[in-house]
Amino acid sequence: MGGNGVFRIVVGVDGSAPSRRALEWAVEEARLRNGQVQAVTAWAFPPVTVGMEGLIHDPDIFPQAARRLQDEALKRVESKGVPVSGEVDQGSAATVLLRAAEDADLLVVGSRGLGGFTGLLLGSVSSQLVHHSPTPVLVVRSGYGAEE
């Protein structure tokens, strides 16, 4: 159990349909276990090449966009009776999620996030998590929940 004796689920939220399904699954599982959910969204500055430095006028745009994306996802899920918190952190998705999962009971992610390649059965982030997570990982595949 999490540090406070409550079953704690960390779920990756990136705005994609698979991550919405993962959030729905996590909330339902927390409801069954009288647990809590922590939605985690990672953001990073885009790679910048020489001559493009001036194109990024406001560096706050990236964390703000990540927060809006997470807020929208949390508004869409039926979480009544389940404590749900949100965290937005800078870094690669795998790094941020692994850090958040350190004291969790379960880490839940979608099978493919934004930027995933359609031909892959398991996204590179979920693959990294499965191999390196300190806690069990559940990868929610496309068949779960509502249609895209």
Side-chain angles (χ1 to χ4, degrees):
M1 295 285 173
N4 59 2
V6 174
F7 194 87
R8 184 170 162 269
I9 301 172
V10 169
V11 59
V13 174
D14 70 359
S16 66
S19 86
R20 287 194 304 270
R21 287 192 206 93
L23 178 60
E24 291 166 3
W25 191 96
V27 167
E28 186 57 33
E29 186 68 13
R31 183 174 285 118
L32 294 171
R33 294 177 178 259
N34 294 316
Q36 61 189 25
V37 172
Q38 180 181 11
V40 176
T41 302
W43 68 272
F45 291 109
V48 177
T49 60
V50 175
M52 293 179 59
E53 297 89 346
L55 295 179
I56 301 174
H57 299 293
D58 182 5
D60 291 338
I61 193 170
F62 301 103
Q64 290 170 359
R67 173 65 64 193
R68 276 194 307 274
L69 182 148
Q70 186 182 86
D71 288 346
E72 282 301 311
L74 293 177
K75 284 179 193 172
R76 293 176 66 167
V77 69
E78 175 51 57
S79 61
K80 187 174 181 181
V82 176
V84 177
S85 62
E87 175 186 335
V88 173
D89 203 2
Q90 182 179 2
S92 72
T95 299
V96 168
L97 288 167
L98 288 171
R99 191 169 47 236
E102 286 177 358
D103 61 347
D105 296 291
L106 183 63
L107 174 59
V108 180
V109 292
S111 59
R112 191 178 305 119
L114 293 177
F117 296 97
T118 306
L120 293 180
L121 294 177
L122 189 66
S124 62
V125 171
S126 52
S127 180
Q128 288 179 54
L129 297 175
V130 166
H131 289 96
H132 301 288
S133 177
T135 189
V137 178
L138 180 112
V139 180
V140 177
R141 298 291 303 270
S142 297
Y144 177 80
E147 292 299 312
E148 293 182 31

